[in-house]
Amino acid sequence: MPLAHGIGAQHDLPLSPFYAYAGAFAALFVSFLSLGLLWSSSRFRGDLAGRPLPAAVQRLADAPATRTALRALGAAAALLLVLHLLLGPDDPDRNPAPGAVYVLLWVGLVPASLLLGPVWRLLNPLRTLHALLRRLLPTGRPPRPLPARLGIRPAAAGLLLFTWLELVAPDNTTAAVLLTALGAHTAVHLLGAARYGPDWFAHADPFEAYSSLLARLSPLGRRADGRLVLRSPFNGLDATPPVPGLVASVCVLLGSTAYDGLSDNPRWIDVLQTSALGRTPTATLGLLAAVALVALLYGLCAGALRLLNRELTTPLTSFAHSLLPIALGYLVAHYFSLFATEGPRTVIMAAGTDNAPSPAPPLGPGGLATLQVASIVIGHVLGVIAAHDRSVRLFPPDRAVAGQLPLFGLMIAYTLGGIGLLIA
């Protein structure tokens, strides 16, 4: 049995469609109107902004001992995971390994990256293994430079493959499937790092890209001069590099989370059970269709932006950062209760308790419904703010507000779709 996802049966949540839709539309409209009237020039400074933390904090964060300890922690956790898969019972109710992958890693990276920045770069056991192999098996050949056109496209492909494993793959909590996936993941990235050096991980490891994108919303960051600073998350968003693959990565996050919401819908379950193609091919097509729909809507929006300003040569990447708060809102809405219940249970099992019970949900149905709708709406409002600031920077003053109308329409479509999945 796959791990149950965080939102449970959405159609049972006590949500009023009228109030949910009306409240979401009102929040977006008021924020858009207020920004248009009161925000006429760009206020975000990207990686030039931030208040430096004390020098002692910077020294501790950058100390070799700190980084070595984090590498050791990541390597120890990976070793324990493999040992549980190899030696533990092949039952997700008695083995913490599936929960470690799908809850502590995938969902846990959300709060960890928001609080501490791109933590997976420091914990990544594959970086540690690659460095160890380089010492034991030196080749004497310098790594090749990564092609600039590569960007984070390999990471976007890896994110899609992982979400397929989480949401679609049959028997995805069994030891055989997880060991196969981990083995393939390890082999691909060690081969890539052997060719291109450790920079490969930042561009191709899906968990590093995932953590780094979420960390754009962290109040903890680094300025362009390397100083560790406290900053507005909007400045972190504004500094998001417009690299190839950024749009694909964000669309995978949005589309896969939307499909996660759809996967519990009784109508979709009926489709999976009656499809002539079979459950797995149909679910795969559903996941790909969800990602493609998100990408299509954003592509149409980018095309409209290009028509409104012919000097805007990169409409796809220029506003992609504004989708990150939306993706975060979807992640919180869909995975909060999963993390709050299955996360502690996984830790208890890892400590040696067999068949540990799940803790009671921290919120009742009403509180959970409020959190889900609020997360989606707040994520979109933050996206509107980020998009507005970029728009007044890139568009002529007389077209700055009108130039945002395609983005505003996109935000409304994403909001209605996200809430619709909650109350369907």
Side-chain angles (χ1 to χ4, degrees):
M1 288 287 292
L3 289 172
H5 292 160
I7 51 177
Q10 300 136 339
H11 53 281
D12 291 334
L13 293 177
L15 289 172
S16 166
F18 173 78
Y19 289 114
Y21 286 129
F25 180 80
L28 287 174
F29 181 76
V30 169
S31 61
F32 177 78
L33 185 62
S34 300
L35 290 169
L37 294 174
L38 304 174
W39 196 311
S40 58
S41 60
S42 176
R43 303 182 183 184
F44 303 145
R45 300 173 54 232
D47 59 6
L48 299 177
R51 177 174 298 179
L53 290 173
V57 176
Q58 175 103 26
R59 287 195 299 270
L60 177 63
D62 293 339
T66 302
R67 294 174 178 264
T68 300
L70 291 173
R71 295 274 187 233
L73 177 63
L79 179 60
L80 284 175
L81 171 67
V82 173
L83 289 176
H84 276 293
L85 287 173
L86 291 173
L87 305 177
D90 200 4
D91 179 357
D93 289 328
R94 300 172 57 208
N95 192 323
V101 173
Y102 297 122
V103 181
L104 298 183
L105 174 60
W106 180 243
V107 186
L109 273 179
V110 176
S113 301
L114 289 177
L115 291 173
L116 302 173
V119 291
W120 191 248
R121 180 182 177 88
L122 298 175
L123 293 169
N124 191 347
L126 293 183
R127 281 186 178 268
T128 304
L129 183 56
H130 167 69
L132 180 61
L133 290 175
R134 290 274 295 180
R135 289 191 176 188
L136 295 176
L137 304 170
T139 62
R141 292 177 298 179
R144 299 184 183 184
L146 279 163
R149 65 180 181 278
L150 194 67
I152 59 171
R153 285 171 174 157
L159 284 171
L160 183 59
L161 287 172
F162 180 82
T163 55
W164 179 86
L165 177 69
E166 181 209 6
L167 301 174
V168 175
D171 303 319
N172 63 351
T173 59
T174 62
V177 170
L178 284 172
L179 284 170
T180 301
L182 289 173
H185 177 77
T186 300
V188 166
H189 290 290
L190 288 181
L191 288 172
R195 183 180 180 90
Y196 294 109
D199 285 347
W200 165 264
F201 295 107
H203 293 262
D205 187 298
F207 302 109
E208 279 208 16
Y210 177 59
S211 177
S212 297
L213 289 175
L214 292 172
R216 290 291 163 188
L217 287 157
S218 172
L220 189 66
R222 288 188 184 270
R223 286 193 319 214
D225 60 4
R227 287 299 304 271
L228 196 62
V229 296
L230 289 177
R231 65 186 181 188
S232 163
F234 287 113
N235 284 311
L237 272 180
D238 191 63
T240 304
V243 295
L246 172 63
V247 174
S249 298
V250 178
C251 287
V252 168
L253 291 177
L254 285 170
S256 62
T257 311
Y259 178 78
D260 181 32
L262 176 66
S263 63
D264 281 329
N265 187 288
R267 296 176 185 174
W268 180 247
I269 293 173
D270 288 340
V271 171
L272 294 179
Q273 292 174 342
T274 59
S275 173
L277 294 175
R279 181 193 178 281
T280 301
T282 304
T284 301
L285 291 175
L287 173 62
L288 294 175
V291 174
L293 178 60
V294 169
L296 175 64
L297 291 175
Y298 182 68
L300 292 174
C301 173
L305 291 171
R306 180 73 173 85
L307 290 175
L308 290 171
N309 185 2
R310 295 289 184 178
E311 296 180 359
L312 186 61
T313 57
T314 57
L316 281 172
T317 54
S318 293
F319 291 91
H321 70 297
S322 66
L323 300 184
L324 287 174
I326 301 172
L328 174 61
Y330 280 24
L331 288 166
V332 172
H334 285 262
Y335 291 115
F336 169 79
S337 63
L338 174 69
F339 186 68
T341 55
E342 291 295 332
R345 180 172 176 268
T346 299
V347 173
I348 293 171
M349 278 197 291
T353 301
D354 191 31
N355 201 19
S358 296
L363 297 175
L368 179 60
T370 301
L371 173 67
Q372 290 175 330
V373 173
S375 299
I376 290 176
V377 173
I378 291 173
H380 283 82
V381 170
L382 296 179
V384 167
I385 295 173
H388 176 86
D389 189 85
R390 183 62 58 87
S391 180
V392 297
R393 183 186 306 170
L394 297 180
F395 283 82
D398 58 339
R399 283 183 287 168
V401 175
Q404 295 176 66
L405 290 176
L407 284 164
F408 183 59
L410 178 71
M411 301 293 181
I412 291 176
Y414 283 169
T415 303
L416 298 182
I419 293 176
L421 290 172
L422 292 177
I423 64 179

